[in-house]
Amino acid sequence: MFEAFIMICSVALTDGCMELEDSRGPYETRSVCKERVDEMVNSMLSVIPPDSEIKWKCAYNPIQTPGVNT
C-alpha cells in the first residue's frame, strides 16, 4: 500500500516548507497514489505561493492483517 505526501517550499512560508499527508489513502498501487498527489496539488493551487517548489512522494507502507504471520 502507498501513502501520498506533498511538500510545498517557499520563501513566503514562515517555516520555509510545509508537508501535507493525504487523509484518504492508502492506495494499492503507486500510480493510483500519484493520481491522488496530482489531485491534492490541483486543489491547493489557489493558495500555494507562486514561487513555490512542490515535491511529492508515494511512500510504500506494507500493511499486515492482525494475527497473520508473514
Side-chain angles (χ1 to χ4, degrees):
M1 302 298 268
F2 294 87
E3 297 181 45
F5 297 89
I6 58 175
M7 181 182 296
I8 302 167
C9 297
S10 172
V11 294
L13 297 173
T14 306
D15 294 331
C17 295
M18 73 173 145
E19 185 174 344
L20 304 167
E21 180 179 354
D22 177 43
S23 60
R24 292 188 198 165
Y27 304 95
E28 288 192 27
T29 66
R30 190 172 192 279
S31 62
V32 174
C33 179
K34 176 61 168 97
E35 288 175 16
R36 176 60 180 143
V37 165
D38 293 340
E39 181 183 356
M40 291 166 63
V41 170
N42 287 331
S43 71
M44 296 191 61
L45 284 177
S46 64
V47 296
I48 296 173
D51 69 335
S52 296
E53 181 177 352
I54 301 170
K55 298 182 180 188
W56 65 274
K57 69 178 176 181
C58 286
Y60 180 70
N61 185 12
I63 297 177
Q64 297 181 5
T65 305
V68 176
N69 294 327
T70 55

